[in-house]
Amino acid sequence: MKSEIAILDFGSQYTHLITRRIRELGVKAHIYPTNTSATKLGSAFGLILSGGPRSLIKEPHIKFDKNIFNLQVPILGLCYGHQLLADYFGGDVKSDRAREYGLAEIKISDSPIFLKLPLKTSVWMSHGDHVDKLPKGFQQIAMTDNRSIAAMQNLEQRIYGFQFHPEVTHTEFGQKMLSNFVFNICRAQKNWTNKSMLAELIKQIKIDAGSKKVFQLISGGVDSAVSFALLQKALGSKRVAGLYIDNGFMRLQETGAIKRAFTKAGFNNITFYDASEFFLKNVSDIIDPEKKRHIIGDTFLNIADEIMRKNGLSNRDWLLGQGTIYPDTIESGGTKNSDLIKTHHNRVPRVQKMISAGLIIEPIKELYKDEVRLIGQQLGLPTTLINRHPFPGPGLAIRVLCNQGTTAKPTRLNWPDKKIQLFKLPIQSVGVQGDERSYAHPGVIVCSKNIAWEKLRILAPQITNQIKGINRVLILSAGNAKNFLTATPHSAYLTKNRLGILRQLDALVNDIIKKYYSKNNIWQMPIVLLPFGNSTGNSLVLRPVESKEAMTVSFAALPNKILKKITSAVLKTALVDFIFYDITNKPPGTIEWE
Ligand code: XMP
């Protein structure tokens, strides 16, 4: 009997999102590795071939069982999957002409997959290669402004390909397109409900824990809080103990607030341990962001080990619990064909080894942030714990950028519109482009007048698409524009002093937002300290973002009045020379800079 939509995973950052969207439609969906035999996929209503970081032109093709084309089920290829279909059926895939990251407008033609859609709509692109010539038997059903083949179909064989990603929320009618595929083309039956999620999670914890107890690491964020509460619900409070390690990278007065919130929520089996000096010492001479992340992840484990040993908790009876969620896994290169974007603190190699040895339990590792919040609500956790802005495990450590110091100054970048002055900042940050990690420079727009946010929404992706080596776009929001041209990166490390500066400015900025702009759509607002300047040697980046599940993100536009309040308050402290505003979406940027 037909039972699910099967997804072959070619390593896209969004593969898991496809599953989630199909489940939202009320249909079971399952991810399979690319080497799965076609016979295993026979019971699928239809197949989806995901995107991925590889290039069909520059690298060997990822192998998959060609017999999937004999299953006589509808197939939808997305991004890499779309190119794979074009290539397999004799079309042409080419590189580079249409490097596109971000929103694009498509014009669509009549097709069952576009049923009841407007003729023009916006979609989310993230690719370097593109389909240049259709295979025989296929028709083009969507095109973008640069005339690339955004979608194709072979009606008779029920095969469809999209260059864009319908699974991300930024694709305006993405869910409608998937619904057309699932119900009109695959004729799937509804067989999955969201309400069963909590019961499923509890059932799974009981299976995974067996007779063991769980020692859960708690960061104070929503993920580990929900994971902890779930474990208690499934195993009872006697079989669960919590450990909060203060790594010294928390925001102003945050540890105290977290303690109070957990006590108020009725949890009294949590140990609080101050390891701030130890963490700081371990990263004091590190510049490379990945090294920093690895050391912080390892330090968490070393301390957890030590405390377990001190309390006589042996690995034989106790598992280590982590509040890992799905984006942590996928961005850490955690599936077969996916690329490493950044190693999340709970995905360092030692954790991976412990997972293989069956020593770790991660009850919410398949979920996204908004699903985690939903489970938190169902468990009755207080809103102070559920609705906090997400905060990364390595905390402010990955928001204090370090540098050896150079004499490199901002260099001018050519841009056709001469009213826009654009410069390459001699500092690098992490991004994600076409499912791959990038470590590149931001472009900085310097303009004496305010440019409207709507204009910047269009301009920023144009800049990252057209200028190689630029993965972020900033505007110089405050500071002397002349001095900016001669400023350089300074030799700077992760010190108590620089952490203190960021902590102070982070509190200042967030207090203004809380006071004057409490009704907003900001999902998270990192504030980043750059070792770039002249008199103080530092600059600040404001990074407010809107998102649903951290996989795709738009920059959030603060009202100019609020921005003005923030920049004047920050400049008054005389702690930084320049204030930048990050107007990069994800992709091509990531939320955090490291
Ligand atoms: P990026 O920067 O990858 O961030 O777009 C996505 C989300 O994940 C958070 N983040 C982390 N969370 N451990 C965590 O628990 C980490 O190592 C980590 N790194 C990034 C980030 O704040 C954002 O919400």
Side-chain angles (χ1 to χ4, degrees), residues 219 223 293 323-325 327-328 331-332 341-347 369 389-395 398-399 430 432 472 523-524 526 543 545 549-551 553 586 589-594:
S219 71
D223 305 339
R293 284 175 162 274
T324 312
I325 60 172
D328 304 350
E331 291 182 349
S332 304
I341 308 302
K342 48 182 75 160
T343 308
H344 284 233
H345 74 289
N346 41 22
R347 276 287 171 269
K369 186 74 80 190
H389 277 184
F391 190 62
I398 54 167
R399 295 180 181 168
V430 178
V432 54
R472 269 179 207 270
W523 190 79
Q524 189 178 10
R543 175 69 170 136
V545 294
E549 69 309 79
M551 296 303 292
V553 167
K586 172 183 178 177
T590 45
I591 298 178
E592 308 286 351
W593 274 50
E594 290 195 328

Side-chain angles (χ1 to χ4, degrees), residues 329-435:
T329 311
I330 182 70
E331 291 182 349
S332 304
T335 63
K336 187 167 174 281
N337 296 312
S338 65
D339 199 27
L340 168 79
I341 308 302
K342 48 182 75 160
T343 308
H344 284 233
H345 74 289
N346 41 22
R347 276 287 171 269
V348 291
R350 227 176 102 194
V351 168
Q352 308 282 24
K353 262 199 205 145
M354 289 175 74
I355 292 174
S356 309
L359 298 174
I360 294 227
I361 183 165
E362 297 180 314
I364 52 171
K365 67 174 183 295
E366 300 286 332
L367 307 190
Y368 290 88
K369 186 74 80 190
D370 53 335
E371 293 174 320
V372 175
R373 289 198 164 119
L374 200 77
I375 295 289
Q377 273 166 13
Q378 289 174 5
L379 288 169
L381 286 181
T383 43
T384 42
L385 283 176
I386 301 174
N387 288 345
R388 300 183 59 211
H389 277 184
F391 190 62
L396 298 182
I398 54 167
R399 295 180 181 168
V400 173
L401 267 61
C402 303
N403 205 290
Q404 319 166 290
T406 70
T407 52
K409 298 189 183 84
T411 45
R412 193 177 282 276
L413 294 166
N414 275 331
W415 190 249
D417 180 351
K418 294 299 167 214
K419 284 193 281 270
I420 303 286
Q421 292 201 59
L422 189 63
F423 296 87
K424 178 165 117 182
L425 195 71
I427 294 278
Q428 281 168 290
S429 80
V430 178
V432 54
Q433 292 171 286
D435 282 327

Side-chain angles (χ1 to χ4, degrees), residues 479-492:
N480 184 305
K482 243 196 202 152
N483 292 347
F484 167 75
L485 298 179
T486 56
T488 53
H490 283 235
S491 165

